[in-house]
Amino acid sequence: TGDRQGHDEL
Amino acid sequence: MNIFRLLGDLAHLASIFVLIHKIQKTRSCRGISFKTQALYALVFVTRYVDLLYHWISLYNFVMKLFFMASSCYILYLMKFRYRPTHDPSIDTFKIEYLLGPSFFLSLIFNYEFSLTEIMWTFSIYLESVAIFPQLFMLQRTGEAETITTHYLAALGIYRALYLPNWIYRYITQDMVDPIAITAGLVQTGLYLDFFYVYFTKVLHGQKFELPA
């Protein structure tokens, strides 16, 4: 979960 | 973006258009749970605060705005425009049972203990169960207008399509989002009973009626 680039799903 | 997610998002869009069309065509929100709609509005507002500080894409931006605006518009239609057609006495599911656990779970199981991350997690958990008041209402009345069932089917298909999307993303991008996947499985599971009746009866021209 470290590399989340923000949540890109709706 | 992959085909499953795109089709899922389009099904989600379609469900909202079907719902607005139903309300305006029948000039009534009979059979629609105000509580479920209010929960969706809360889901979108808590999830999409990142609009203010995190740019993803034009597609993402426009869709988020649309979901927030349309959910508020639906609340307006139900609460003001067609208020007399809404019968709160059959919309009786206690949403505290959904809000409370979603909130506490989001405090415990999250990716980061920060305000926006907890809001995002809360919205994911809440969305997975937000359909409960609507399904409960359906269960109570035992039947539904066909157009209402199309709305529910589109909404369920949207969630179901996110499952192959996650499998695809796992294979191609090595991406796993355990919170979204767990909640997505729960949410899709809630539609299974409904799907059964929808695909075996409604799509064959019969009325949506639950066995007594």
Side-chain angles (χ1 to χ4, degrees), chain A residues 4 7, chain B residues 46 49 53 103 106-107 109-122:
Chain A
R4 54 168 287 266
H7 303 288
Chain B
T46 51
V49 280
Y53 59 87
F103 179 65
S106 67
L107 291 180
F109 301 104
N110 54 58
Y111 294 139
E112 190 188 298
F113 201 82
S114 67
L115 179 66
T116 52
E117 220 20 53
I118 286 170
M119 284 169 78
W120 177 84
T121 315
F122 169 73

Side-chain angles (χ1 to χ4, degrees), chain A residues 1 4-5 7-10, chain B residues 47-48 60 117 166 169:
Chain A
T1 64
R4 54 168 287 266
Q5 311 92 3
H7 303 288
D8 66 341
E9 294 181 345
L10 295 162
Chain B
R47 186 176 307 168
Y48 298 157
N60 193 278
E117 220 20 53
W166 290 318
R169 295 192 82 177

Side-chain angles (χ1 to χ4, degrees), chain B residues 4-23:
Chain B
F4 304 112
R5 188 143 57 116
L6 180 64
L7 290 176
D9 290 344
L10 293 179
H12 196 183
L13 273 187
S15 75
I16 290 169
F17 284 120
V18 169
L19 179 59
I20 293 174
H21 176 71
K22 174 252 170 328
I23 294 174

